[in-house]
Amino acid sequence: MKDYLIVLEIEGLSSRIKRLSDALLYSTRDLYKSEDLDIEPNWNLIFRLLQQNEAMTITEIADALQFSHPAVIKIINKMKKTGYVTANLDDKDKRKQNIILTQKAIDKLPILENYWKIGTEVIQNLIDDSPNFLEELLKIEEKVNQKSYKERALEKLKETK
């Protein structure tokens, strides 16, 4: 049977993107598990940010990644449980927590970085036949950031009334 999402063309686009994202995410998770790495696929983003910035608040991390505040809290809580990050109260504002890498994280970074480097090479290989993929993706992201799908759909619905 033919892949129905492909048959749907544009109508199936968001589901195809989600399916691709899930496939990459679950495969990465399986890789880490098979290699006895106690990390999740998107943790490298937090590791990288904290390597560059030493300490960041949840809000700063969320802003940098354009993730929701609850999504970042969920990731950070998992990283805390495995001992990769810790939180210190901000000296100036006790309501804020500064997230920092633990010694365990710092010690394990060379091993993890090797997996991330290989992961980057694998992704590059996957998009080699689409040299403009990242540029095109950025264009779509910028359009969605300018005006959401909901806003665009509501405008189209008004036009049809």
Side-chain angles (χ1 to χ4, degrees):
M1 179 177 208
K2 193 162 181 171
D3 185 332
Y4 192 61
L5 294 180
I6 294 172
V7 171
L8 288 175
E9 295 181 345
I10 291 296
E11 191 176 352
L13 179 66
S14 61
S15 294
R16 288 178 67 189
I17 292 169
K18 172 81 167 106
R19 181 173 66 186
L20 176 61
S21 173
D22 286 351
L24 293 171
L25 180 91
Y26 294 129
S27 188
T28 303
R29 186 174 287 139
D30 287 346
L31 168 67
Y32 291 161
K33 190 173 184 176
S34 73
E35 296 292 306
D36 291 324
L37 297 173
D38 58 345
I39 62 169
E40 291 288 326
N42 55 2
W43 291 8
N44 65 313
L45 308 170
I46 307 292
F47 276 100
R48 294 280 190 224
L49 279 172
L50 295 177
Q51 272 183 296
Q52 291 176 6
N53 298 287
E54 205 169 306
M56 295 178 77
T57 66
I58 298 288
T59 300
E60 290 169 336
I61 294 169
D63 288 347
L65 298 175
Q66 297 296 295
F67 283 6
S68 71
H69 204 262
V72 172
I73 290 171
K74 187 175 180 181
I75 296 168
I76 293 298
N77 284 340
K78 286 181 180 179
M79 291 180 78
K80 281 181 185 177
K81 274 187 185 173
T82 55
Y84 285 113
V85 297
T86 190
N88 297 329
L89 289 178
D90 190 279
D91 293 335
K92 297 172 188 163
D93 185 347
K94 299 298 182 195
R95 296 171 297 172
K96 290 183 182 178
Q97 293 184 41
N98 289 311
I99 309 300
I100 59 171
L101 293 174
T102 62
Q103 191 59 50
K104 174 185 175 178
I106 293 165
D107 293 343
K108 207 156 185 180
L109 269 170
I111 295 165
L112 298 176
E113 286 174 331
N114 188 48
Y115 283 91
W116 299 333
K117 179 180 175 278
I118 289 167
T120 300
E121 291 171 11
V122 168
I123 296 294
Q124 182 60 58
N125 181 263
L126 290 172
I127 65 170
D128 273 347
D129 295 334
S130 305
N132 299 321
F133 179 78
L134 292 177
E135 292 167 18
E136 298 301 324
L137 180 61
L138 179 61
K139 288 177 189 176
I140 296 168
E141 289 172 325
E142 286 173 345
K143 284 182 177 180
V144 170
N145 286 335
Q146 290 169 2
K147 191 183 296 184
S148 73
Y149 170 87
K150 176 186 173 185
E151 291 170 316
R152 291 168 187 271
L154 288 173
E155 283 178 5
K156 291 285 183 193
L157 286 169
K158 282 182 187 175
E159 290 173 11
T160 61
K161 289 182 181 176

